[in-house]
Amino acid sequence: MGSDSTADPIPLLTPYKMGNFNLSHRVVMAPLTRMRSYNNVPQPHAILYYTQRATKGGLLIAEATGVSDTAQGLPHTPGLWTKEQVEAWKPIVDAVHAKGSVFFCQLWHVGRASNSSCQPNGQAPISSTDKLLTNTAFQKFTPPRRLRTDEIPDIVNDFKLAARNAIEAGFDGIEIHGAHGYLFEQFMKDSVNDRTDKYGGSLENRCRFTLEVVEAIANEIGGERVGIRLSPFTEYMESGDSNPNALGLYMANALNKYNILYCHMVEPRLKHSMEPVESPHSLVPMRKAFNGTFMVAGAYDRQDGINAIAENRADLVVYGRLFLANPDLPKRFALDAPLNDYNRKTFYISDPVIGYTDYSFLE
């Protein structure tokens, strides 16, 4: 090859076949809550936001989208449980597809990470537990209501219907938000789950609800359209686990039964917040255990991403804040160009432009 290493392809920017999807590069846009979907309905300004970040053969994951009126924990986050919401998503999805991107929708339920003001009829948020979230730095939480065993199939059904709605809206597939202390982690992690029924106690029981949702959605829309995001090592929303390695490995193995498309794992270095810390843990055992596409996320920069692909620690690398601030991130990575700084103060404001579609391109 000679001494000119610039002729070598950048691993992060090489093509990848993810199931039925031919990706032109391995830089994925993370699902990012932006709170610009007024009254839980996606808005036309989302067309510009997502198409700015769409590339031919790139993968975008839409922001966390509620599966029911009990799923919400923040104002102005989108949903997929009404006809109006499905219709509102369609032009956004169509515009992203027109740019040649693959577009998945992340489905979530926040569980106890909510306030009764966000809930139908001002009711208590639902969870695996009735333990209150005490960390109120970002928002004030309401004591949750522990779901009865016989209610859990209804929540499974909410996810199944939302997945069906996502496909009707035109999305290529869905990602289950099983991370960051929301409803699924409230079941999976032993610092939160204090149940004594078949959904509590053993690791198998704690993971049962999540896997029931995976199975229901895979049966509804096909496993080849299903991904899941997991963060066994994080402790967001007071949701730690006494053995995160065992939890991550159990899930990576269990998911193979459903032949889902991908597993999207958050790095152990994002333990409590968005800022990375040193961690002795590794995602490599989960990478080896899971049969499908393996994505990693968590404070990656360009070189970290290159290394992850080159060392076969991941198939795809997911970028959040960098993609938010750099709509042309794959191009900047290709050219090793300087990056815009993100402004954290505008992440969650509800302005349709500021901090949303006003970040500059290289040109």
Side-chain angles (χ1 to χ4, degrees):
M1 295 294 284
S3 61
D4 181 16
S5 63
T6 56
D8 295 335
I10 301 165
L12 193 56
L13 299 169
T14 55
Y16 175 75
K17 187 165 173 57
M18 180 181 77
N20 300 323
F21 305 104
N22 294 307
L23 304 182
S24 60
H25 58 79
R26 297 166 188 250
V27 180
V28 179
M29 180 180 165
L32 299 164
T33 291
R34 303 311 313 275
M35 291 167 62
R36 275 125 170 133
S37 297
Y38 311 137
N39 300 314
N40 309 126
V41 178
Q43 298 295 308
H45 49 243
I47 294 173
L48 180 58
Y49 171 71
Y50 283 112
T51 56
Q52 283 179 334
R53 289 157 182 79
T55 53
K56 187 170 173 54
L59 172 60
L60 276 59
I61 308 171
E63 63 210 273
T65 298
V67 298
S68 69
D69 56 359
T70 70
Q72 306 303 106
L74 293 164
H76 307 312
T77 52
L80 259 176
W81 71 88
T82 72
K83 185 75 178 156
E84 182 188 10
Q85 291 163 340
V86 173
E87 292 304 314
W89 271 116
K90 284 180 179 178
I92 304 167
V93 178
D94 288 346
V96 169
H97 282 153
K99 292 281 292 277
S101 277
V102 177
F103 202 16
F104 271 54
C105 184
Q106 189 189 62
L107 300 181
W108 77 337
H109 193 302
V110 302
R112 68 175 182 164
S114 186
N115 183 288
S116 55
S117 66
C118 298
Q119 294 294 315
N121 309 315
Q123 67 194 36
I126 55 176
S127 181
S128 64
T129 181
D130 51 18
K131 287 190 285 193
L132 173 65
L133 258 176
T134 56
N135 178 7
T136 56
F138 185 59
Q139 62 192 116
K140 188 155 174 52
F141 301 109
T142 301
R145 177 179 72 80
R146 183 193 307 268
L147 280 163
R148 299 191 314 271
T149 310
D150 66 330
E151 291 178 298
I152 290 175
D154 295 334
I155 312 301
V156 175
N157 197 50
D158 287 341
F159 273 89
K160 183 180 85 168
L161 295 177
R164 184 195 300 169
N165 286 343
I167 300 305
E168 190 191 328
F171 283 104
D172 296 296
I174 65 93
E175 175 178 289
I176 298 162
H177 194 348
H180 295 169
Y182 296 115
L183 184 61
F184 291 111
E185 284 209 333
Q186 292 160 33
F187 276 83
M188 287 189 282
K189 292 192 168 178
D190 59 12
S191 73
V192 186
N193 187 331
D194 55 358
R195 302 177 73 90
T196 55
D197 62 359
K198 68 178 183 177
Y199 294 99
S202 69
L203 181 56
E204 184 180 5
N205 280 0
R206 284 183 279 121
C207 293
R208 185 187 306 276
F209 167 54
T210 306
L211 293 171
E212 284 178 351
V213 170
V214 172
E215 181 173 32
I217 292 178
N219 287 343
E220 182 68 28
I221 67 171
E224 71 282 0
R225 293 174 179 264
V226 179
I228 190 169
R229 189 179 215 196
L230 299 171
S231 60
F233 300 96
T234 67
E235 296 177 3
Y236 293 133
M237 305 286 182
E238 297 158 32
S239 65
D241 193 80
S242 62
N243 193 341
N245 282 300
L247 172 59
L249 205 51
Y250 177 83
M251 285 298 293
N253 280 302
L255 290 166
N256 289 329
K257 177 181 170 186
Y258 309 105
N259 293 313
I260 65 169
L261 181 63
Y262 73 75
C263 181
H264 171 187
M265 281 274 193
V266 178
E267 285 287 351
R269 62 187 175 205
L270 284 197
K271 195 165 179 67
H272 292 285
S273 71
M274 291 182 173
E275 301 313 320
V277 295
E278 285 295 310
S279 173
H281 300 293
S282 166
L283 296 178
V284 171
M286 286 134 241
R287 155 71 159 165
K288 290 178 176 170
F290 182 68
N291 292 340
T293 291
F294 196 78
M295 302 186 197
V296 292
Y300 273 84
D301 62 17
R302 179 181 183 271
Q303 192 58 51
D304 285 340
I306 289 171
N307 295 345
I309 302 300
E311 295 162 14
N312 197 31
R313 287 184 279 114
D315 299 306
L316 304 171
V317 182
V318 184
Y319 291 87
R321 291 164 289 169
L322 293 188
F323 225 140
L324 181 156
N326 297 274
D328 50 358
L329 188 66
K331 181 176 183 178
R332 288 179 191 250
F333 280 173
L335 300 172
D336 201 9
L339 300 180
N340 297 327
D341 292 327
Y342 51 82
N343 180 359
R344 194 186 296 282
K345 291 193 181 80
T346 62
F347 283 2
Y348 306 114
I349 65 172
S350 288
D351 192 284
V353 176
I354 296 168
Y356 191 57
T357 54
D358 59 348
Y359 281 104
S360 63
F361 287 76
L362 273 175
E363 285 84 34

